[in-house]
Every structure is written in C-alpha cells, then in structure tokens.
Amino acid sequence: MKPSASTNLNSLWAEWVVEELVRQSVTTFYICPGSRSTPLTLAAARHAKTRTSICYDERGAGYRALGYARATQQPAVVITTSGTAVANLHPAVVEAAQDGIPLLLLTADRPPELTDTGANQAIPQTSFFAQHVRWQFELPCPSADVDPAFVLTTVDQAVHRSRDLHAGPVHLNVRIREPFLGSTSQAPDCDTSGLADWSQGSSPWTHYSASRITIAGADLERVVTLINRTDRGMLLVGRLGSDAQREAVRALIRTLGWPVYADLASGLRLAEVGTHIMRYFDQSSLSEAFNARCRPRTLLHLGGRVTSKRVPLFFQQNRPEQTILVKEDPSRQDPIHGVTHALHCDIEWFARTLCRRYEGGDHSAFRGFYLERAERVDNIIAETIGEEEEITEPFVARRMTELIPNNHSLFVANSMPIRDVDIYGAHQRRGVRVGVNRGASGIDGTIATALGFAEGCGTPTTLLLGDIAFIHDLSSLAQVSGCRFPLIIIVINNRGGGIFRFLPVSQEKDVFDAFFVTPHSFSLAGLGEPFHLDTYRVGTKAQFDQAYGAALQAGRSALIEVSVDGQKSFQFRKGLKAAILETLK
Ligand SMILES: Cc1ncc(C[n+]2csc(CCOP(=O)(O)OP(=O)(O)O)c2C)c(N)n1
Ligand SMILES: [Mg+2]
C-alpha cells in the first residue's frame, strides 16, 4: 500500500495502524462513534480490506469482538473514543482474559497537556485494564520526530501478544491531538522514506512466528508411561479452541478407547463421536453405588475447565491416582487441588503424539460400564421429557439441540440454559459449533457475544438465554439486524433467575423472591419488533417446534420468547434426577 499524502500526522499514523493490522490478517473492526477516535475510524472505514460494523455502545462492541474471536481465534479490533467509552469495555476484557480469547482495543485519548486538567471527557486511561490484559501500550501523539516504523512494530507486537500462546486482550491507548481531519491532497509532513519498501509491498513490518509448545524427554516419557500402564483411564475434555484440536482429540478418543466426559464447551458434547462418550455423567454421578464402581485410576483432562459443578466434586470425593492436565497456557486450573501432572503444551500436538505412543490395554469393560448406564439415563431423560405435557426448560434445551441444523452454530448463556443443554442436550449434532462465556461466567453481554460468534463462524446461529440475561443485554438488540448472519434468539422467560431455586437461600422465604429471583411480569417478544426482528411467542411444546422451525426456515434474525413456569421446571428437574438415581440403583 502507498500511504496517502496527508498533512495531518494523525491521519497518517491511523492509516499505518489499520494497514498493518490488515497485513497481520486482522480485518474485522467494531467501531463505536466518537470524535477523538476520528482518525482511526476514518482509516478503518476507508480501507478496502477491512470489514467494519458500527456498534452503538462500547460494552456490546467489546462482547461482539469477544464472540468473533471465540469462533476464529483471531482478534477483532474495537475502536472507541475516550472517557467512559473505554470503561464500558471492561466486562468483555475480563471475560477474554479469563478464557484466553484474543481481543484488540484501540482507545483514543487526549494529549498529555489535557490529561488530569479537568478537560472534558478525559479520564486516566493509561493501564486502565491493568491486570486483565496480556499487553498494554501507549501510542504517543503522532510526531514527525518519531520513526514511522515504531508505529508498525507496535501494531505487530500488539497482534502477536493478543493471539499467540497465552492469548488474551491487548490495549493500545492512542493519544491524539486536534485537529482530527487531515488533508489527503498534499505531501506528508514527515519523512516516510524509511517505509518505502513496506509501502510497495503487502507484508507486515515484523513477521512473528506462531509458537507451539511441545514437551520432550523425561517429562513426556513419565506421562506416556503412566497413561500406557493405567488399567482404568478416563478422558475429560473441557473447552477446545479450534477445529484442529477437536479433530486431534477425536482421534485420541478412538485410540485410547477410554470413557470420555465431554463438556459443552469442548464442541464434542452435542456430537456423536463414536461410542465412547459418557452422556449425563453429571446426573449419573449422583448415585453412591455408581460412584463406588466408577472411579478412574488415571484421569486425563484436556483443555479448559468443565461447566458441571458435580463433575469436579465427584473427582474430589473419588480421587484418581493420577490427574494429568493438558492445557496451552500456564495458568493454574485446579479448583479441587487434584492435579498431579500439569502439561503446559499444545493440545493438538499432545493428542497426536499420544495417538502414536499409546500402547495401553483394552478398556472396553470400564468403558462399557459407563456407556450402558449412559444409555439408561438417556432413555429416562427422553421418556420423562417426552411424557411431560407442559413445556419445561429441559424440554426447550433438548428439543432445540434436536432441531438445530448441522450447519448452524449455537451460543448458550450462563445460568440454567448452559446447564440444561449440558445435561439434557441431544447428541447427533456433529456440525454445530458451540460457544459459551465460561471465563468469568457472567450473564452479561450474551446477545452481543452471540452476534460476534455468528460472524466468526460465518453461519446462522441460535442463542439460548434466560430472561434476566436478556434484559441485561437489551441494548445489543440494536446490533442484531446489522449482522450478516441470522441470529435466532430463544429467550426462556421463567420470570426471574430460576437458578437461585437450587440454592439454600431459597429457604429464606422473606427475601428469596424479591432479592434473588427478582420476579417481573415483562413481556419480552415485543422488544424484537422495533429492532426489525421476527417475533414469536411460545407457551406450549407444539408452539416451540412451530416457532423455531419457522424461524430456521425464514433465515432471518428472530426473537422467540418461550414462557415457562420456573417453579414447575425446578420441580420437573428434581423429578428427573430422582428417576435417574432410581435407574442407576
Ligand atoms: C454479570 C452478572 N451478574 C450477576 C450474576 C449472578 N447471576 C447468576 S445467574 C443469575 C440469574 C439469571 O437469570 P436468567 O438469565 O433469567 O436465567 P435462569 O436462572 O432463569 O435460567 C444471576 C443474576 C452473574 N453471573 N453475572
Ligand atoms: Mg430466568
């Protein structure tokens, strides 16, 4: 690219920043309107190779970028003006940091002479996200005295730090002095001769090699020997980041022949991967008789942590002799303090290596024990949900996973939706990509994250969320119709936070409803209309099939409000749990 002649250094630096991002294959920009960020916005908007979306609010923009990166492992860029605009990015930054998701923030800031002077819309922005970012840097006000290559190497480092190894959020605070609009018709007022070669080409200034950590020698031998020698092994699969990882783990599942517990975030939970997946382990592990017989000697945990509370509890009470944890970043992931071997290395490499090195015995008896019970539990769940005439939350979770087409993506909100899909979800949906925000497990930003996830996957997407999570992110409804891929929002309106019914505080009758469930009588479907969404109201099982089927067929973004009785769904889950325990006796 040839830098356009500009008498305004702000424009020139902004053009370099955007061009270098594009050369690093970072082309998705979520832009929030504002004045101080004008040069950045213009550079992104006018670049031929960027894909830009306008977001009205920065909180939603941050989450949308997070959702995009969840699907692609590539950062999207968020551009904001100064002040509280920056502060609104905080929740998404925290979620990205907790779950190792790339995110690139370009926040415009005032020049030093307007900092801490009472100037309008000026807050301390330097190091604003301090402990939550992988890297932060301040680009000073553009100056002819500064080597232009500094701008490019700063961008290269920012991209590298956001997506390599310990991926996560990166913050570039960009100081900009007025005027914001520069002429593009005159010669640039700084020496750009050092960029001559760069300008003629299309490569980034600095190529960073992608890192891949492998282990060797005694560390690898020790673990391979343990795995080869164990007679009762179990595989636990948490969040996996990429399709390449999933393919490698699928191959490992076939090679080991061990029983497998696949978390919803693994992307394997809803798919049929051979006959090794133990479904409903979460529910099965409730039976003491079952627990006594199914403790593995060796637990091999690949990827992120698991959604279920009961699964870690099971391993705390039935400790395996060895717990081997394999994950790609160095952070601790061991809330029950059970890990005996922690391998910080590339998951795909490890799975493929183990496939080649595995010489263990036949685990079919141990696996069969699990699978036979899983099938019984599966039947009980299908029967019980089928027989119940009223629409319940587990029904919606299960039915949605039966109806969602294989080329769709699915985003599931925290609170009961993620638990219900994890426990009751069907398992024939191999092509469906699944996203969840389990880094900090917030109920916020869910609609925006699902939108970004749809854009990252490049597919129509279904979002399942609760009414309070929906209300939390109402402002993001304004972004939905601007998305190129249809988002079908299924909001389960049980009139408050149904999850709290499972907690001991539910017995504190004087405060429970008002302070925890936070009941309301709002009708939510109508909120879709002003934002150009097709709307559906559902109160029965048949209506659910009809509405979801129609929304899928229409191929447009839609809002489906499913009204359920929260107390009845709670009782239904209790009954189902009792039936599962009975069958496992
Ligand atoms: C940002 C944030 N605020 C508060 C919470 C605590 N919290 C967890 S679940 C929940 C209620 C969610 O209600 P809803 O979305 O309707 O789902 P339901 O429990 O009914 O399935 C709340 C407030 C949280 N996890 N994240
Ligand atoms: Mg609710």
Side-chain angles (χ1 to χ4, degrees):
M1 167 206 119
K2 214 171 167 350
S4 56
S6 165
T7 50
N8 186 314
L9 274 175
N10 289 336
S11 307
L12 201 56
W13 277 38
E15 285 176 13
W16 290 339
V17 167
V18 171
E19 171 65 19
E20 191 65 354
L21 285 166
V22 168
R23 291 183 184 206
Q24 291 285 1
S25 307
V26 176
T27 53
T28 298
F29 287 70
Y30 295 110
I31 300 176
C32 307
S35 170
R36 183 69 47 181
S37 46
T38 298
L40 293 166
T41 299
L42 294 188
R46 290 177 175 159
H47 196 291
K49 293 184 179 163
T50 54
R51 189 177 284 284
T52 53
S53 303
I54 296 301
C55 304
Y56 305 101
D57 78 283
E58 291 76 10
R59 196 194 45 82
Y63 273 114
R64 195 164 164 186
L66 171 90
Y68 173 87
R70 278 202 175 284
T72 59
Q73 294 82 55
Q74 291 293 326
V77 181
V78 184
I79 295 177
T80 74
T81 188
S82 60
T84 52
V86 179
N88 270 280
L89 298 172
H90 221 145
V93 169
V94 170
E95 175 64 20
Q98 290 295 112
D99 222 7
I101 307 296
L103 192 60
L104 211 51
L105 313 174
L106 297 185
T107 61
D109 198 357
R110 277 162 171 59
E113 67 270 18
L114 292 180
T115 303
D116 207 6
T117 59
N120 181 41
Q121 208 178 314
I123 67 165
Q125 289 180 202
T126 307
S127 306
F128 191 87
F129 305 106
Q131 59 173 317
H132 302 292
V133 282
R134 301 290 187 258
W135 194 60
Q136 52 192 338
F137 196 79
E138 187 144 285
L139 269 181
C141 289
S143 156
D145 299 333
V146 175
D147 183 348
F150 156 75
V151 179
L152 305 181
T153 62
T154 301
V155 170
D156 295 333
Q157 171 71 183
V159 173
H160 178 64
R161 297 291 286 275
S162 77
R163 70 183 172 195
D164 198 56
L165 286 181
H166 197 194
V170 164
H171 178 204
L172 287 185
N173 193 46
V174 186
R175 299 267 188 183
I176 303 175
R177 188 176 283 120
E178 292 194 51
F180 302 139
L181 284 177
S183 161
T184 52
S185 59
Q186 294 161 31
D189 47 13
C190 70
D191 180 9
T192 60
S193 57
L195 298 191
D197 288 347
W198 177 84
S199 300
Q200 300 304 321
S202 58
S203 302
W205 187 270
T206 307
H207 274 285
Y208 280 90
S209 61
S211 316
R212 185 168 236 222
I213 295 189
T214 60
I215 48 171
D219 283 338
L220 181 63
E221 293 313 315
R222 188 179 309 121
V223 168
V224 169
T225 306
L226 275 178
I227 290 172
N228 278 339
R229 279 198 193 142
T230 197
D231 60 346
R232 292 212 316 188
M234 183 186 290
L235 195 57
L236 192 72
V237 191
R239 186 176 79 83
L240 298 177
S242 67
D243 288 340
Q245 285 181 356
R246 275 183 279 278
E247 272 321 302
V249 171
R250 277 197 172 96
L252 183 62
I253 289 171
R254 288 191 296 269
T255 303
L256 294 180
W258 296 4
V260 181
Y261 180 84
D263 184 75
L264 188 60
S266 69
L268 303 177
R269 162 67 184 83
L270 299 182
E272 185 65 73
V273 254
T275 52
H276 303 333
I277 295 278
M278 314 172 313
R279 287 168 227 120
Y280 321 117
F281 180 54
D282 179 285
Q283 297 285 290
S284 314
S285 70
L286 296 165
S287 151
E288 278 182 23
F290 177 83
N291 289 355
R293 285 189 54 195
C294 66
R295 167 177 169 254
R297 290 227 164 82
T298 301
L299 179 68
L300 176 58
H301 181 160
L302 304 178
R305 63 201 181 85
V306 292
T307 303
S308 162
K309 264 188 183 170
R310 282 194 207 104
V311 170
L313 201 64
F314 168 79
F315 290 116
Q316 192 170 31
Q317 289 160 356
N318 305 277
R319 280 198 194 272
E321 287 164 20
Q322 296 95 27
T323 297
I324 302 163
L325 172 67
V326 184
K327 64 196 281 285
E328 298 197 340
D329 71 75
S331 63
R332 179 161 59 158
Q333 180 182 291
D334 188 15
I336 62 163
H337 310 288
V339 173
T340 55
H341 299 76
L343 277 64
H344 167 204
C345 66
D346 188 281
I347 290 177
E348 187 191 347
W349 169 84
F350 179 82
R352 300 252 179 242
T353 303
L354 193 53
C355 279
R356 280 196 309 277
R357 301 281 313 272
Y358 188 62
E359 296 165 354
D362 176 14
H363 289 245
S364 54
F366 190 47
R367 186 177 75 237
F369 167 80
Y370 272 107
L371 294 181
E372 189 267 324
R373 278 146 188 87
E375 200 166 324
R376 276 199 250 159
V377 175
D378 195 6
N379 291 338
I380 285 284
I381 288 175
E383 260 170 44
T384 316
I385 289 180
E387 280 164 9
E388 171 60 48
E389 279 176 15
E390 266 190 59
I391 189 162
T392 62
E393 295 168 44
F395 164 82
V396 177
R398 188 170 182 94
R399 194 74 184 126
M400 183 270 297
T401 56
E402 285 168 355
L403 296 178
I404 189 170
N406 266 327
N407 58 355
H408 273 228
S409 304
L410 171 65
F411 200 87
V412 189
N414 288 312
S415 206
M416 292 318 289
I418 188 171
R419 293 186 167 83
D420 283 344
V421 175
D422 203 30
I423 298 172
Y424 309 114
H427 45 78
Q428 318 86 355
R429 286 292 170 261
R430 178 154 194 179
V432 175
R433 299 189 61 184
V434 180
V436 294
N437 272 346
R438 281 313 265 185
S441 299
I443 57 161
D444 47 337
T446 317
I447 296 173
T449 314
L451 261 188
F453 192 68
E455 289 168 318
C457 291
T459 61
T461 296
T462 294
L463 162 64
L464 183 70
L465 84 174
D467 50 311
I468 302 294
F470 179 81
I471 289 167
H472 217 299
D473 201 21
L474 274 185
S475 57
S476 293
L477 282 182
Q479 295 186 37
V480 175
S481 62
C483 177
R484 287 179 305 130
F485 302 96
L487 182 71
I488 300 177
I489 303 172
I490 303 176
V491 52
I492 299 184
N493 190 355
N494 58 6
R495 310 204 174 282
I499 196 169
F500 295 115
R501 293 198 167 84
F502 292 86
L503 302 181
V505 74
S506 60
Q507 300 313 309
E508 308 296 318
K509 302 291 180 206
D510 57 328
V511 289
F512 179 62
D513 266 350
F515 290 86
F516 293 88
V517 177
T518 56
H520 61 82
S521 57
F522 305 135
S523 146
L524 304 176
L527 292 165
E529 281 151 22
F531 296 108
H532 311 312
L533 306 181
D534 292 352
T535 58
Y536 303 86
R537 290 178 178 78
V538 165
T540 65
K541 289 165 90 172
Q543 283 171 355
F544 178 79
D545 279 14
Q546 225 170 12
Y548 189 41
L552 287 171
Q553 195 154 31
R556 288 188 300 269
S557 289
L559 175 59
I560 303 176
E561 180 186 13
V562 184
S563 295
V564 298
D565 183 324
Q567 183 59 28
K568 279 197 181 142
S569 282
F570 171 69
Q571 292 300 347
F572 178 75
R573 290 191 193 92
K574 270 176 70 173
L576 192 46
K577 191 167 121 181
I580 290 170
L581 285 181
E582 189 57 35
T583 191
L584 290 175
K585 262 186 190 162

